[in-house]
Amino acid sequence: MKNMTKTIKNKKTKIGLALGSGGFRGFAHLGVIKALQVNNIPIDYISGSSVGSLVAAYYALHGEINSLEEKFSKYKSRLFKLSDFNFHGGFKTPSYIQFIKYLFGTASFSQTKIPLRILATDLSTGEPFIFSRGSIATAVRASSSVPIILNLPKGVKERLVDGALSSPVPIEVIKKLGAEKIIAVNLYHGNEFKEKDTTLTKVALKSIRITLYNLARNDVKKSDILINPDISYFLKYLSPSRYLSQEVTNQIINLGYKETGKKKAALKALLK
């Protein structure tokens, strides 16, 4: 009986990390993961939606995030050419698709160091579509807004769009995997809506952001620790050459790092 009690007491809490959508805000995810690593917070399961799927997939595959920064820096001159790279909808152009291929190549879910789930949205039903096998590049591409996906896993015929449309912060999928405690990263912040709207276009774009903000708030109700960096200041940068600049990306990464640092005590408590 004594040995059994010790085993139960020493049972490791399974921690899940859910990385949310948010376009260029996604650089904050890098800072979050860096802070988790510095504080020795182990991640047993990970999920991502839209830009969160890219960061989640890379971390799950490699177990580190620093090289993703380096690869982005090498590739970003090509990303500046994107005609539809914006923080409102996601990533939709050939340059971004090539970036996904550059990052993941032929890697599959079976090769990840951390169990990974990626969410897209079924265009026919509006329901989440969960990727758990097959090509990682295909899953990230599907989750990041490309409307029609080729070379899906065998038997999959759905037409898929951005995962943010059904679950911006995909928590439920890692709960089902076995995560007992959930760290959620929500990149939409209430301060985004304070600027004045002078055109119908700005009103329409803000309406989309409000929808995603409310969907994300509903998702994170299921989390144990919420990390919600305020990136609203950077919404004023409409030019890709500005919000993909080294200066801005470093600032956003640092925001994610600092916001995670504020949760240090709560994060450490997960391990007790």
Side-chain angles (χ1 to χ4, degrees), residues 129 131 133-135 151-158:
F129 182 94
F131 282 93
R133 61 187 176 90
S135 164
N151 302 319
L152 289 170
K154 186 176 180 181
V156 177
K157 298 179 181 179
E158 286 81 357

Side-chain angles (χ1 to χ4, degrees), residues 56-77:
Y58 196 90
Y59 186 54
L61 188 62
H62 298 286
E64 54 84 23
I65 213 72
N66 291 336
S67 60
L68 177 57
E69 271 191 84
E70 296 169 8
K71 289 176 181 178
F72 172 77
S73 295
K74 291 179 181 178
Y75 202 91
K76 68 180 178 181
S77 61

